[in-house]
Structures are given as C-alpha cells and as structure tokens.
Amino acid sequence: MEQVLTFRLGAEHYGLEIAHLQEIVESPPIYQVPRGADWLLGAINVHGSILPVLDLAALLGFDNRERDPRVIVLSREFGRLALAVAALGKIVPLDPDALLPVQQQEQQTACIRGVLNLEADMVNLLDMERLLGSLEKI
C-alpha cells in the first residue's frame, strides 16, 4: 500500500507520497544562494551532493514562513531537490480510491493532485510533477 508523509504549510495540511522521498535530513546548515528567488531558501550538502532547498510555503504563496528544522530530500526522479515546510507530520496510508478530486484551478495553481480525508484533517496531496513543471516556467 502506498504511504504519504504529511506536513503543514500555514494552517493547511499537505502530503507527499513516500515513493517521491529519499530521506528527511535533520537540521542541515543551509547556505544562502546570492540573488536567489524568494522561494529558494538556499542549498544544503547531502552526502557530498549540493541540493537546492525550496521554501514550499513561499513557492505556493503562503505568508506564514514558519519552518521545521528538518528538510525533505526528494528522490532522484525529481532532480535532486530538497523542500522546507512549516512542520512535518506523520506517515499515513494512501488509498488512491479514497482520494477526493479538487477543482482544476486548484490543481494548477496550488499543485494539488487530490484531497485525503484523514480523521479531522483534510490533506492536500501534492502533485510533484505539476510543482516542478511550474518551476520551469519561472
């Protein structure tokens, strides 16, 4: 069964499929990139590779810039990137048949693939391909 890592951006809950992750890095030193975009938090060294760290809240237009000290490193499938989020959550099972649809505008602007209904929380499942595709347009 597929699984999802949940995290928070502002007051909203998001999720990312575990298959898209390489690891979670605990409190890495983040080096600023001169003249980087507002959503480019900096770069980290992970096992000898330098990875850009995207501030996911800034990239998706959230005002709250709260940040968890841990960083999500994406799998090589997504070009070796790391994501900073407000707060990491827990790992939950994903039943693709239970995924609720979202409006087409939200799919495009918020990069949401669908919504999971977990107990009291609604979790927006991040569409990584759409998110990375939006970076190419910037």
Side-chain angles (χ1 to χ4, degrees):
M1 174 175 266
E2 296 180 53
Q3 295 180 312
V4 171
L5 170 68
T6 63
F7 57 88
R8 192 172 44 75
L9 297 175
E12 294 188 31
H13 296 273
Y14 278 79
L16 181 62
E17 293 165 85
I18 292 292
H20 298 332
L21 307 179
Q22 175 182 313
E23 65 185 290
I24 305 292
V25 179
E26 295 282 340
S27 305
I30 298 177
Y31 302 96
Q32 289 194 343
V33 175
R35 292 183 264 168
D38 188 35
W39 44 264
L40 180 60
L41 194 59
I44 60 174
N45 183 341
V46 178
H47 310 298
S49 296
I50 305 301
L51 307 179
V53 180
L54 308 184
D55 181 344
L56 198 52
L59 186 61
L60 295 178
F62 286 85
D63 290 333
N64 186 340
R65 300 294 175 90
E66 177 186 3
R67 191 165 45 90
D68 194 292
R70 298 167 290 181
V71 174
I72 302 168
V73 176
L74 300 177
S75 67
R76 291 180 187 270
E77 163 189 7
F78 294 108
R80 302 288 296 170
L81 293 171
L83 300 176
V85 299
L88 287 175
K90 56 187 176 182
I91 295 174
V92 299
L94 170 64
D95 178 2
D97 294 333
L99 201 58
L100 303 173
V102 294
Q103 295 180 351
Q104 186 172 2
Q105 184 177 358
E106 286 187 62
Q107 286 179 344
Q108 293 176 351
T109 58
C111 301
I112 298 171
R113 189 168 76 110
V115 177
L116 296 170
N117 187 0
L118 293 177
E119 301 164 3
D121 296 325
M122 301 297 281
V123 176
N124 300 308
L125 186 61
L126 202 58
D127 184 336
M128 284 306 301
E129 291 178 10
R130 189 175 304 274
L131 179 73
L132 296 179
S134 71
L135 290 176
E136 293 175 3
K137 296 175 186 172
I138 297 175

